[in-house]
Amino acid sequence: MLNNTVTWLSLTQHAKQIKEASITSFFEAEEDRLSQFSIQHEGITYDASKVLMDKRALDLLLFLCEEAELEQWRDKMFAGEHINNTEDRAVLHTALRANPPRDEVENALAKMQRFCESTHKSGKYKDIVNIGIGGSDLGPRMVYHALKDQSKTGLNVHYVANIDGHDLKRVLGECTPETTLFIVASKTFTTIETLTNAHTAKNWITEKGLAVKDHFIALSTNMNAVNAFGIEAQNMFPFEEWVGGRFSLWSSIGLSLALGLGFEAFSQLLEGARNIDEHFKQAPLKENIPVLMGLTGLWHDTFLGFPALACLPYDQRLEYFPLYLQQLDMESNGKAVTKDGFTVSYPTGPVVFGQPGTNGQHAFYQHLHQSPMITPCEFIGVVNPDHPYTEHHKILLSNMIAQSQALMLGKRAPEDQPYRAFSGNRPSTTLLLPELTPYHLGQLIALYEHKTFVQGILWQINSFDQWGVELGKAMAKNLLAENNDADTIDPSTAHLKGLCKI
Ligand code: F6P
């Protein structure tokens, strides 16, 4: 076990000393700290120098990567070995953006492109409604909102995820049946939220005398279930089972993006991700951005014991990025059993939360600066905006940089006003993109995907299954069932069930 190695034990010991040290003292002691802890790649800058980690900790962590055979595991992932062992599946989202592509990927992309071109040409639709949840919603929703202002397709894309009828009702209220195309996005095509929403949407279309074939397409791996719903094979855009839900926006699941933003923008997104795949494969570990991101997270969670992570994009267009990252990180690494079936004895993935700056500053930053619980922060900034209001942008980014400075430096308070003290020494990283193009957004997403992978390897868990979502689903089904055995339900649950009229 990796956590019994001398390196792991040394890291545990070293973390005790580091907790007593200050980030500013590392800047004084390590002359080349900025270059050691920051990496530039293709216009992107990742700066981890304001982290509570010194050179020795970084060296030990890099050594741990070797002991964990990180590079070998990375190569196994890219080669399509079945590293998702509990589901006996390959993990090949990187193949969706590889060049040259595999045959099935090339065919799927060609079908998407043809559909986009004919849809744009026909002018038949004004609104596209993507019905999906989890990975079949969060990635596409996040990317669409980040880039929609640059789109010239004239199509308006909506996302419906929640089983809550208010979600669908609001979107249907904004659309007209004759000019609406529904995309039913579901890898399994068995997800209750998606199927319930899709059936209600189907009624909305057919009760106007319109045909399902003209208003519905499906993105799925499950041809039989798609057919049973009433969507024919030519209106289904398939992908392979080796595409995990939270890694699926690069597959047919991204069709709402190709339609809404244009196929060229979708291709650029894939290209940006491919660029990071190459960086991840080729850059030496200590010059490798996803590796440094992953090591920083591991150090915070496991060795320093910080249980949360604030994702703070200083760009309104990245409004949905923290929500997307919640699934990517928490569904991947919120686990307590190793790949070999042992219970872990150390903390794994953090609680991820956040919202765009500066809004977050007026909501939860009080906690970030003064709570006794320390939350590492990940700032994301875009250097060149896509609007003419220069003054806004200067204020925005100076706030972002000032927050990372304030978290690190803190401030003493007058003795009689202890409530004004900022302890400082709170770690943060900053990731800068030159601009928010499809290409750079593709890079950003792939960086986080690979960060998640790096951490999973070092925690020795399987980042690609999600058994933890099953129990609640099964119990909801049981509560809904007519013949459930009310006597076996605990008093609280039975009481709530009654009040909710289930
Ligand atoms: O939340 C569990 C989950 O299986 C996710 O991993 C997945 O992204 C989501 O449900 C939706 O699944 P599907 O695409 O099969 O509808």
Side-chain angles (χ1 to χ4, degrees), residues 131-138 185-195 219-221 239 244-248 253 327 331 464-466 469-470 473:
I131 299 180
I133 198 163
S136 300
D137 167 74
L138 288 163
S186 175
K187 179 175 173 178
T188 55
F189 229 77
T190 57
T191 306
I192 189 166
E193 292 91 339
T194 300
L195 289 186
L219 322 175
S220 186
T221 57
F239 56 102
R246 51 196 173 274
F247 301 89
S248 64
I253 289 290
Q327 188 200 14
E331 197 165 90
F464 301 103
D465 60 11
Q466 55 284 320
V469 303
E470 295 303 326
K473 278 194 220 172

Side-chain angles (χ1 to χ4, degrees), residues 73 111 117 144 229 258 299 306 325 331 363 368 393 429:
W73 280 102
K111 184 168 179 177
E117 283 167 4
Y144 179 70
F229 179 84
W299 177 246
F306 302 148
L325 189 63
E331 197 165 90
L368 300 182
H393 201 60
T429 61

Side-chain angles (χ1 to χ4, degrees), residues 468-490:
V469 303
E470 295 303 326
L471 180 61
K473 278 194 220 172
M475 288 194 167
K477 214 170 180 180
N478 186 44
L479 287 181
L480 268 178
E482 292 283 322
N483 58 353
N484 69 28
D485 187 357
D487 295 345
T488 63
I489 300 177
D490 66 86

Side-chain angles (χ1 to χ4, degrees), residues 27 54 81 94 101 121 123 149 218 233 238 327-328 367 395 413 467 490:
F27 276 102
D54 65 352
E81 287 192 29
T94 52
K121 207 162 151 199
D149 296 344
Q327 188 200 14
L328 176 65
H367 191 287
I395 298 172
W467 296 102
D490 66 86

Side-chain angles (χ1 to χ4, degrees), residues 294-358:
L295 293 181
T296 304
L298 174 83
W299 177 246
H300 285 152
D301 300 357
T302 302
F303 295 104
L304 297 182
F306 302 148
L309 170 67
C311 170
L312 308 169
Y314 272 64
D315 193 304
Q316 189 59 34
R317 295 168 296 175
L318 292 174
E319 184 182 1
Y320 288 99
F321 194 77
L323 299 183
Y324 156 78
L325 189 63
Q326 263 176 350
Q327 188 200 14
L328 176 65
D329 198 318
M330 296 175 78
E331 197 165 90
S332 298
N333 287 338
K335 299 187 181 149
V337 174
T338 68
K339 281 200 277 277
D340 300 327
F342 297 106
T343 303
V344 300
S345 55
Y346 42 83
T348 56
V351 175
V352 180
F353 69 99
Q355 60 165 302
T358 59

